[in-house]
Amino acid sequence: MSKELVFGHQSPDTDAIVAAKAFSYLENKLGADTEAVALGEPNEETQFVLNHFNEPAPRVIEKAAPEVDSVMLVDHNEPQQSVSDIADVTVSHVVDHHRIAGFNTAQPLFYRAEPLGCCSTVIYKLFKENNVEIPAKLAGLMLSAIISDTLLLKSPTTTETDVAVVKDLANIADVDYETYGLEMLKAGTNLASKSETELIDADAKSFELNGSTVRVAQVNTVDLAEVLDRQAAFEAAAKDENAANGYDLFLILATNILDSNSELIVVGAPTAPVEAAFGKKLENNRLNLPGVVSRKKQVVPPLTDAFNA
Amino acid sequence: MSKELVFGHQSPDTDAIVAAKAFSYLENKLGADTEAVALGEPNEETQFVLNHFNEPAPRVIEKAAPEVDSVMLVDHNEPQQSVSDIADVTVSHVVDHHRIAGFNTAQPLFYRAEPLGCCSTVIYKLFKENNVEIPAKLAGLMLSAIISDTLLLKSPTTTETDVAVVKDLANIADVDYETYGLEMLKAGTNLASKSETELIDADAKSFELNGSTVRVAQVNTVDLAEVLDRQAAFEAAAKDENAANGYDLFLILATNILDSNSELIVVGAPTAPVEAAFGKKLENNRLNLPGVVSRKKQVVPPLTDAFNA
């Protein structure tokens, strides 16, 4: 069997980086020849995690086809979130926890998705099913990914399985997950040192919604005022991104990870489906979204419905 | 949790019927409220299986949305192979062993696919992972599905896993699988009593290939001459089906299950990609395909490539 690359989505978050490392480790234990790579540099939170567990950042690739015939996707499946030449390689495996959209293959494949809080939780189950032991360092990385995706088990995407897996991984890694988790999340909210463009690029995904290309960025903070004070600059950065990349609409979900509330900044058109999705009118290009912390569960589904209405 | 329906593809074969029963049984054991139904009456092979194990045929449904909000698909994912109102319900679970094509959801879901010979083999693994015992009767049904899909473990889709699972299921069901399997396959090849339209409808699937709707029917036999003697009538029936349903191309794969050879009868247009797919010129509207027994592995992938070339 020839070598395959394993990677998460563009603008990688902690789960995208860690899930690739974890699944590559598992597949290699099961006899495959894989390398975990990434479609971008680690963000500050992920860098904190890698430093904490003394783990190197994965190699960043621009294209897959020059290196391999076949790839394994983790934490995503939608082609526009994947490597730029995804159409030129065969996808042999997918492990994910998102909706399925625009993903097509010519051949049967291994596809494992579950509606859990984190892709690393699904991969934990694969380790158990295959009776492969999780090393302490990898357990620490996977624990970090689940804390990141579930905002320390507080996001509505969190399931009982995520909670149980976090506890088991914390035990294997010998980490006090609550103390460590808060420290880790705060490391990802150091906004002052970054430009608005960097911030809306760090955790952003594109969605094709009934003919419109909608970009949804999430910016985590411990103080929403810190984001809203820079609103004009965020809007200018989003407008530039729309023009440069052909996005119709740019949504910036600014989320307070301490009290689980968000403000949504809306740049571009159409705005009517966004207002319809949340049942509110834009004021100063913003919607206040109390209790909303999950792009996947609380933003994309109502948007999809509103665009298709 | 409200009730959900579980079903396989249209024109159900033994795996489509059995996988629905098996997955529904498992989900109910795990706490769900499901009913296994079917999108058509059992074919002769499946009826033989149900009679042999004294199992009733599933209820046939035309639509899902009048009954339930949410469904579970087995042995298929492509919308045109599913219930007619699939767009009006939520798909919560898929268990499959085919390529993924045209399948899109708004929400995360449970999706389990593996490139194994039979969907019932994947479901066997789910029973094991969840520590649910397979009753003897269900083991007999699942065994039958794997024998059907793999032509008694001779199809190139057969994996080591399928072979091991057949042996375990035969043990649980207390069946001599080789003797039983041949008897079962022969029960599905009673062609004399059926019209050409019935025969090309019994195990047929539609594929969207680069803008063309291609219908691929498979007719199993123990004597290819029995099919080829009726070629003119088969072509007329396929032509009628094309006109009635808007198919561009109708392919009839007549397969000798004893020696694993096929003849492909081609009705409609374009024929050039069919010739390109198999590197042969049509003669008398036919291609001779020695060693070809699997629509999924040996027919659809080269066709897909040829249509996209």
Side-chain angles (χ1 to χ4, degrees):
Chain A
M1 213 179 302
S2 53
K3 183 183 163 182
E4 296 189 56
L5 297 177
V6 185
F7 48 84
H9 50 78
Q10 294 172 17
S11 305
D13 58 7
T14 299
D15 192 29
I17 301 275
V18 166
K21 283 182 176 281
F23 191 56
S24 173
Y25 178 90
L26 174 63
E27 281 293 313
N28 290 350
K29 281 281 174 194
L30 297 176
D33 175 16
T34 73
E35 179 191 357
V37 295
L39 303 186
E41 298 295 339
N43 64 29
E44 280 197 53
E45 179 195 277
T46 310
Q47 197 55 62
F48 173 92
V49 171
L50 295 171
N51 291 344
H52 187 93
F53 292 102
N54 194 25
E55 172 77 12
R59 182 166 68 89
V60 174
I61 63 162
E62 297 288 331
K63 289 183 182 296
E67 295 189 54
V68 293
D69 296 328
S70 189
V71 301
M72 303 183 181
L73 309 184
V74 294
D75 198 31
H76 75 296
N77 66 84
E78 303 189 37
Q80 76 280 5
Q81 297 170 5
S82 197
V83 73
S84 59
D85 64 343
I86 187 70
D88 301 330
V89 290
T90 298
V91 179
S92 71
H93 291 66
V94 177
V95 185
D96 196 14
H97 68 132
H98 296 90
R99 70 172 192 169
I100 298 177
F103 180 81
N104 297 292
T105 66
Q107 294 273 6
L109 75 161
F110 179 99
Y111 199 109
R112 174 71 172 261
E114 295 195 35
L116 301 175
C118 182
C119 186
S120 291
T121 309
V122 183
I123 295 173
Y124 171 95
K125 293 183 71 176
L126 291 172
F127 272 88
K128 293 292 167 189
E129 288 162 16
N130 289 285
N131 292 312
V132 174
E133 202 176 327
I134 304 175
K137 182 196 277 199
L138 188 56
L141 297 171
M142 292 168 77
L143 172 72
S144 306
I146 304 174
I147 290 170
S148 170
D149 265 23
T150 64
L151 294 177
L152 204 34
L153 305 174
K154 284 193 300 188
S155 163
T157 56
T158 310
T159 66
E160 284 175 26
T161 305
D162 297 298
V163 176
V165 170
V166 156
K167 288 179 179 166
D168 190 39
L169 289 172
N171 196 33
I172 298 171
D174 196 17
V175 166
D176 174 345
Y177 75 87
E178 286 182 313
T179 309
Y180 165 74
L182 204 58
E183 197 186 350
M184 183 202 102
L185 288 174
K186 280 186 182 165
T189 65
N190 173 19
L191 308 185
S193 66
K194 293 218 204 66
S195 74
E196 290 75 17
T197 302
E198 285 171 325
L199 289 169
I200 62 174
D201 218 42
D203 176 15
K205 291 182 180 174
S206 300
F207 300 90
E208 295 297 327
L209 300 180
N210 201 12
S212 293
T213 302
V214 182
R215 184 82 166 169
V216 187
Q218 187 160 20
V219 178
N220 288 338
T221 177
V222 289
D223 179 13
L224 274 179
E226 193 185 3
V227 175
L228 301 179
D229 287 348
R230 296 164 71 179
Q231 182 177 346
F234 271 113
E235 289 186 20
K239 200 173 161 190
D240 288 349
E241 291 277 301
N242 283 352
N245 301 290
Y247 309 138
D248 299 295
L249 191 62
F250 205 113
L251 307 181
I252 304 169
L253 185 71
T255 300
N256 184 327
I257 58 168
L258 298 183
D259 69 5
S260 301
N261 291 313
S262 292
E263 286 276 338
L264 189 72
I265 302 172
V266 179
V267 178
T271 56
V274 184
E275 294 181 326
F278 300 103
K280 290 192 171 186
K281 289 286 170 197
L282 282 170
E283 286 179 37
N284 183 23
N285 302 328
R286 279 175 14 210
L287 292 178
N288 177 244
L289 302 178
V292 170
V293 297
S294 168
R295 171 173 48 203
K296 183 171 69 174
K297 196 139 181 168
Q298 297 172 295
V299 176
V300 173
L303 271 183
T304 303
D305 290 344
F307 270 86
N308 290 329
Chain B
M1 210 179 305
S2 53
K3 182 182 163 181
E4 296 188 56
L5 296 177
V6 185
F7 48 84
H9 51 78
Q10 294 172 17
S11 305
D13 58 8
T14 299
D15 192 29
I17 300 276
V18 165
K21 283 182 177 279
F23 191 55
S24 173
Y25 177 91
L26 174 63
E27 281 294 311
N28 290 351
K29 281 279 173 195
L30 297 176
D33 175 16
T34 73
E35 179 191 357
V37 294
L39 303 185
E41 299 294 340
N43 63 30
E44 280 196 53
E45 179 196 276
T46 310
Q47 198 54 63
F48 173 91
V49 170
L50 295 172
N51 291 345
H52 187 93
F53 291 102
N54 194 26
E55 172 76 12
R59 180 165 70 88
V60 173
I61 63 161
E62 296 288 331
K63 287 182 183 299
E67 295 190 53
V68 293
D69 296 327
S70 190
V71 300
M72 302 183 181
L73 309 184
V74 294
D75 199 31
H76 75 297
N77 66 84
E78 303 189 35
Q80 75 279 6
Q81 297 169 6
S82 196
V83 73
S84 59
D85 64 345
I86 187 71
D88 301 330
V89 290
T90 299
V91 178
S92 71
H93 291 65
V94 177
V95 185
D96 196 14
H97 68 131
H98 295 90
R99 69 171 194 172
I100 298 177
F103 180 80
N104 296 292
T105 67
Q107 295 273 9
L109 74 161
F110 179 99
Y111 199 110
R112 175 71 173 260
E114 295 195 36
L116 300 175
C118 181
C119 187
S120 290
T121 308
V122 183
I123 294 173
Y124 171 95
K125 293 183 72 176
L126 292 173
F127 272 87
K128 293 292 167 188
E129 288 163 16
N130 289 285
N131 292 311
V132 175
E133 201 176 327
I134 304 175
K137 182 197 276 198
L138 187 56
L141 297 171
M142 293 168 76
L143 172 72
S144 305
I146 304 175
I147 290 170
S148 169
D149 265 23
T150 63
L151 295 177
L152 204 32
L153 304 174
K154 285 194 298 188
S155 163
T157 57
T158 310
T159 66
E160 283 175 25
T161 305
D162 296 298
V163 176
V165 170
V166 156
K167 288 178 179 165
D168 191 39
L169 289 171
N171 196 32
I172 298 171
D174 196 16
V175 166
D176 174 344
Y177 75 86
E178 288 183 312
T179 308
Y180 165 74
L182 203 59
E183 197 186 350
M184 184 202 102
L185 288 175
K186 279 186 182 164
T189 64
N190 174 18
L191 308 185
S193 66
K194 293 218 204 66
S195 74
E196 289 76 16
T197 302
E198 286 171 324
L199 289 170
I200 63 174
D201 219 42
D203 176 16
K205 291 183 180 173
S206 300
F207 301 89
E208 295 298 326
L209 300 180
N210 202 12
S212 293
T213 302
V214 182
R215 184 82 166 168
V216 187
Q218 187 160 21
V219 177
N220 288 338
T221 178
V222 289
D223 179 13
L224 274 179
E226 193 185 3
V227 175
L228 300 181
D229 286 348
R230 296 163 70 178
Q231 181 175 345
F234 271 112
E235 288 185 22
K239 200 174 164 191
D240 288 348
E241 292 276 303
N242 283 352
N245 301 290
Y247 309 138
D248 298 296
L249 192 62
F250 205 113
L251 307 181
I252 303 168
L253 185 70
T255 300
N256 184 329
I257 58 168
L258 299 183
D259 70 4
S260 302
N261 291 315
S262 291
E263 285 279 336
L264 188 72
I265 302 173
V266 179
V267 178
T271 55
V274 184
E275 294 182 327
F278 300 103
K280 290 191 171 186
K281 290 286 170 198
L282 282 169
E283 286 179 38
N284 183 23
N285 302 328
R286 281 178 7 213
L287 291 178
N288 176 245
L289 302 178
V292 170
V293 296
S294 168
R295 170 172 49 201
K296 183 172 68 172
K297 197 140 182 170
Q298 297 173 295
V299 175
V300 174
L303 271 183
T304 302
D305 290 344
F307 269 86
N308 291 328

